[in-house]
Amino acid sequence: MLPIWAAAILPITAYSHQQSFSIQQARTMDRHLAGHSVQIPPATMSIFEILTALLAVSLYDRLFVPFARRFTRNPAGITSLQRIGVGFSVNILGTLVSALVEIKRKAAAADHNLIDKPTAVIPMSVFWLVPQYSVRGLAAVFVTVGKLEFFYDQSPESMRSTAAALYWIAMAVGDYGGTLMVSLIHKYTEKGDGNWIPNRNLNRGRLEYYFFFVSGLQVLNLVYYLLCSRLYTYKAMEELSEGGEDGDLLELGMDENQSRSMGESNGGGGTIKE
């Protein structure tokens, strides 16, 4: 289980600061609604990630599982490892979408001579950020639920609480790793042609390079995860009759049904005595 657990750290590292960078992007874009009378706060754009996750969770069991069951013959649609793998793939797509939106945002700033005006509003709707928020919300549905299912189902019964805690440990390690990665990128890229993550003027930065770099790391992590999941052997399912309790209940139910059917065949008027 530990190699699978380790594969979950890097996607968290990649995701940890995307929320902050998306807010910085939103601050430079047109956030007005209803004829410029209402302005959306930048941080509230994360509502689209939450709404997508809620919608995806509700549709997963109703639509995706029955559809996948036709091909996999698995009552759950796909296994927990497959669910995590799908989430990792979708998360890579979300990072690439973030990079493409950043390229378009900087192009709009250049077209209107706003590159050197960090406080100016770029005439580009903030709703261009909705796709990247939505894709990240969809990825969370697959990754988060899949990891919790995997750690809980595949761990020994006496260690299920500890195994579930591994999920939160991965979150903590990934967040610290994300902070370290951003600090190192900021430190070493400022010595070159341009800082990828500048302190003040995002228009002069290379934020799309950061997104592409993170996407590359996630691709390598996905390859590692696929190898680990390929070699992983699922824990054998426990028998229902373990301990004799469930088996006794099953036999009792069968005896009652047989007695009832024999009573009906005898006219239904009497009881059968053993």
Side-chain angles (χ1 to χ4, degrees):
M1 290 178 59
L2 289 179
I4 302 293
W5 171 79
I9 295 177
L10 188 57
I12 297 172
T13 299
Y15 172 80
S16 60
H17 284 77
Q18 289 189 37
Q19 185 76 7
S20 300
F21 295 144
S22 296
I23 292 175
Q24 292 184 27
Q25 288 176 305
R27 291 180 59 185
T28 66
M29 302 169 73
D30 184 9
R31 295 177 278 116
H32 289 91
L33 285 177
H36 301 280
S37 60
V38 179
Q39 190 173 20
I40 304 174
T44 59
M45 291 298 295
S46 61
I47 189 65
F48 292 102
E49 181 176 344
I50 298 172
L51 291 176
T52 302
L54 292 175
L55 181 62
V57 167
S58 62
L59 295 179
Y60 183 86
D61 291 328
R62 294 178 179 270
L63 297 179
F64 180 79
V65 171
F67 176 77
R69 192 182 295 151
R70 297 179 181 179
F71 303 96
T72 63
R73 304 299 180 185
N74 188 329
I78 56 177
T79 65
S80 56
L81 288 179
Q82 290 172 337
R83 188 169 185 173
I84 296 172
V86 171
F88 285 169
S89 303
V90 175
N91 206 30
I92 295 172
L93 177 62
T95 309
L96 292 174
V97 170
S98 300
L100 296 178
V101 172
E102 174 62 12
I103 292 174
K104 181 173 179 58
R105 189 195 67 83
K106 289 176 59 178
D111 291 341
H112 294 84
N113 298 319
L114 299 176
I115 291 293
D116 294 318
K117 299 178 180 179
T119 60
V121 176
I122 299 173
M124 176 179 173
S125 175
V126 73
F127 291 105
W128 276 93
L129 300 177
V130 172
Q132 64 193 55
Y133 277 107
S134 299
V135 175
R136 291 203 296 259
L138 181 62
V141 171
F142 284 91
V143 175
T144 303
V145 179
K147 286 191 293 186
L148 290 174
E149 286 181 350
F150 174 77
F151 290 139
Y152 186 81
D153 292 340
Q154 297 300 305
S155 60
E157 186 174 356
S158 60
M159 296 181 61
R160 282 179 173 173
S161 298
T162 303
L166 289 175
Y167 169 79
W168 300 107
I169 295 175
M171 291 281 289
V173 174
D175 286 338
Y176 279 113
T179 301
L180 177 62
M181 182 176 66
V182 170
S183 299
L184 292 176
I185 290 175
H186 178 74
K187 177 180 179 180
Y188 288 103
T189 59
E190 66 179 355
K191 300 177 182 178
D193 296 335
N195 196 333
W196 289 11
I197 311 171
N199 291 325
R200 294 180 177 84
N201 190 358
L202 190 63
N203 298 332
R204 282 291 181 184
R206 299 289 188 272
L207 187 58
E208 68 276 13
Y209 291 178
Y210 168 81
F211 287 134
F212 285 132
F213 174 73
V214 168
S215 299
L217 292 180
Q218 291 184 91
V219 170
L220 295 177
N221 183 76
L222 179 61
V223 173
Y224 164 77
Y225 172 79
L226 292 177
L227 292 175
C228 293
S229 60
R230 182 76 174 178
L231 299 175
Y232 183 81
T233 302
Y234 278 92
K235 183 180 70 174
M237 297 295 294
E238 297 179 356
E239 297 293 337
L240 290 176
S241 59
E242 185 179 359
E245 296 178 358
D246 294 333
D248 293 340
L249 292 175
L250 182 59
E251 293 178 359
L252 179 60
M254 293 177 63
D255 291 340
E256 290 177 353
N257 291 333
Q258 292 176 354
S259 299
R260 187 179 299 109
S261 61
M262 292 175 63
E264 292 175 354
S265 64
N266 290 328
T271 59
I272 298 177
K273 299 182 179 179
E274 297 182 358

